[in-house]
Amino acid sequence: MKKELTAYIKQAEELIKESERLDGKQLESMKTNIEFFQHERLVHLIVTMTFALLTVISLGLAVSEICLLPLFILFLVLEVPYVFHYYTLENGVQKLQRLYREAEEKVKGDQSNDRH
């Protein structure tokens, strides 16, 4: 997913920079792709928070029952990559949203120039 997000961000940046004019279809396509990435971000937020909760619960249990320490370590080891992956998704989606607003302004600017 990280590769897809990075590639799409690069593609969107190039489209905005190189296109003299953006049309509504390109803008709608960009919006649809952002929605897909937002959905992915939401799913990973739920997974990340679930593993965080399980990690905290297992830590509490491991304090009272030392034999549950491996369970805590397992959840902790799984949580760290989830946090980094979610961080990447969050920042990528925010960047795409900024690019979308920039593209939207470009389309609006082109439409106002066409009227004059």
Side-chain angles (χ1 to χ4, degrees), residues 44-115:
H44 281 278
L45 174 63
I46 292 168
V47 170
T48 301
M49 291 296 105
T50 301
F51 269 90
L53 182 62
L54 291 171
T55 302
V56 169
I57 290 170
S58 66
L59 175 62
L61 293 173
V63 167
S64 61
E65 293 288 331
I66 195 69
C67 64
L68 294 174
L69 187 62
L71 182 64
F72 164 71
I73 292 170
L74 173 68
F75 284 136
L76 186 62
V77 167
L78 290 172
E79 179 65 17
V80 171
Y82 278 126
V83 168
F84 283 113
H85 186 68
Y86 179 75
Y87 177 81
T88 302
L89 286 173
E90 179 68 30
N91 288 333
V93 168
Q94 287 180 12
K95 183 168 183 126
L96 281 175
Q97 289 170 338
R98 284 190 300 273
L99 288 171
Y100 177 79
R101 286 190 295 275
E102 186 179 325
E104 196 173 40
E105 289 299 317
K106 195 170 193 177
V107 168
K108 286 179 185 176
D110 288 343
Q111 289 172 351
S112 66
N113 288 340
D114 289 344
R115 291 183 200 141

